[in-house]
């Protein structure tokens, strides 16, 4: 249902695919094959399955969206509802290590770095547009909820920083993103509009008529 590319030259030609069947696959275009499959609960490492540091009674989530951070250090997995899990990819073998057989894939372990307890129905996650991993914005995570709400998290500190309201999101998958140098938050809406918020303060700074130009603007928005 979702995928994202690795970004750095060390992991060139790789991407990760998520699915509601409780499986995440790391695919390598250089080898034209799947490197790893993340699935199930805690299992012994094998040639096709990583070891995860989660309780043996805990099921691997049905993944509806995922993101890889720009430095390829973290993998973020979002289910439809529940917890967002962040996994540590910092020690995942690079392309050169695999090609030179410098490491045995059987011994590679991916550990869970943090968990965000959202416990709401979610539709997507987004990351800010940053290249420098030392940038304080690099740990931000934007989550769209199916309850007319967006949430901004720091996934490293596991802190909810801000909430954004005003858009309609009740039945469909509505996506959101960072923009304008990460100063703004943007989201679609089921009323055919695009909402813009100040990232820090959380206030609406604009409402744009998008796919339904002939639909009247609600009175509450006319002052924007």
């Amino acid at each position: 249902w979702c995928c994202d590319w690795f970004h750095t030259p060390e992991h060139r030609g790789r991407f990760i695919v998520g699915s509601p069947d409780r499986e995440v696959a790391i695919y390598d275009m250089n080898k034209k094959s799947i490197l790893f499959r993340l699935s199930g609960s805690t299992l012994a490492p094998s040639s096709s399955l990583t070891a995860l540091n989660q309780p043996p009674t805990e099921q691997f989530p049905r993944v509806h969206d995922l993101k890889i951070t720009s430095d390829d250090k973290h993998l973020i997995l979002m289910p439809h509802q529940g917890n967002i899990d962040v996994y540590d990819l910092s020690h995942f073998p690079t392309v050169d290590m695999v090609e030179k057989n410098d490491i045995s894939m059987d011994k590679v372990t991916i550990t869970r770095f943090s968990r965000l307890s959202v416990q709401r129905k979610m539709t997507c996650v987004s990351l800010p547009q940053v290249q420098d991993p030392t940038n304080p914005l690099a740990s931000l995570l934007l989550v769209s909820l199916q309850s007319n709400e967006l949430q901004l998290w720091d996934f490293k500190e596991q802190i909810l920083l801000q909430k954004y309201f005003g858009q309609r999101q009740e039945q469909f998958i509505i996506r959101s993103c960072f923009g304008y140098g990460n100063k703004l938050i943007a989201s679609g809406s089921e009323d055919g509009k695009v909402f813009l918020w100040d990232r820090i303060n959380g206030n609406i700074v604009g409402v744009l008529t998008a796919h339904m130009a002939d639909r009247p603007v609600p009175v509450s928005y006319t002052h924007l």
Side-chain angles (χ1 to χ4, degrees):
W1 278 26
C2 54
C3 66
D4 196 14
W5 289 91
F6 283 84
H7 307 89
T8 62
E10 291 77 15
H11 295 284
R12 60 191 178 276
R14 293 175 172 177
F15 59 90
I16 302 182
V17 179
S19 171
D21 62 2
R22 302 187 189 279
E23 181 174 270
V24 171
I26 302 178
Y27 190 86
D28 190 333
M29 293 183 61
N30 306 291
K31 291 182 170 293
K32 298 182 180 180
S33 63
I34 293 176
L35 279 179
F36 270 14
R37 294 181 188 270
L38 286 69
S39 61
S41 55
T42 304
L43 298 172
S46 68
S47 58
S48 62
L49 184 66
T50 58
L52 307 173
N53 70 328
Q54 58 187 45
T57 57
E58 182 180 335
Q59 283 188 309
F60 195 72
R62 300 182 186 274
V63 177
H64 286 252
D65 198 7
L66 65 82
K67 289 292 183 293
I68 306 171
T69 55
S70 61
D71 58 0
D72 292 342
K73 300 296 184 184
H74 298 97
L75 168 63
I76 299 168
L77 303 181
M78 185 209 82
H80 177 58
Q81 187 172 0
N83 302 309
I84 294 178
D85 288 331
V86 182
Y87 288 91
D88 184 1
L89 293 178
S90 60
H91 300 295
F92 193 78
T94 64
V95 171
D96 292 340
M97 292 172 66
V98 174
E99 290 179 349
K100 296 177 181 177
N101 294 318
D102 289 342
I103 189 169
S104 172
M105 298 296 280
D106 293 348
K107 297 181 179 179
V108 175
T109 300
I110 293 180
T111 59
R112 191 166 64 201
F113 175 82
S114 65
R115 166 168 283 185
L116 310 180
S117 181
V118 180
Q119 304 302 325
R120 307 271 289 280
K121 291 183 178 180
M122 299 170 280
T123 61
C124 79
V125 289
S126 304
L127 297 174
Q129 303 162 10
V130 295
Q131 300 299 324
D132 183 4
T134 63
N135 188 318
L137 301 183
S139 61
L140 296 184
L141 176 67
L142 181 64
V143 185
S144 288
L145 304 178
Q146 212 167 28
S147 56
N148 305 323
E149 178 184 332
L150 281 72
Q151 294 184 356
L152 182 65
W153 288 79
D154 185 315
F155 68 81
K156 291 184 178 180
E157 300 295 333
Q158 303 178 57
I159 296 174
L160 176 60
L161 300 174
Q162 186 59 272
K163 294 182 178 182
Y164 309 95
F165 300 97
Q167 89 289 5
R168 285 179 53 189
Q169 184 170 223
E170 298 173 352
Q171 299 180 355
F172 304 103
I173 295 177
I174 302 295
R175 303 191 185 279
S176 58
C177 65
F178 294 82
Y180 195 62
N182 301 310
K183 296 178 181 178
L184 298 180
I185 298 296
S187 175
S189 177
E190 290 181 8
D191 59 5
K193 297 177 174 58
V194 175
F195 283 73
L196 303 173
W197 295 267
D198 181 284
R199 191 200 83 231
I200 296 177
N201 297 318
N203 58 294
I204 295 177
V205 297
V207 179
L208 310 178
T209 300
H211 298 288
M212 301 176 69
D214 57 338
R215 188 164 184 166
V217 178
V219 175
S220 58
Y221 300 152
T222 55
H223 66 283
L224 299 174

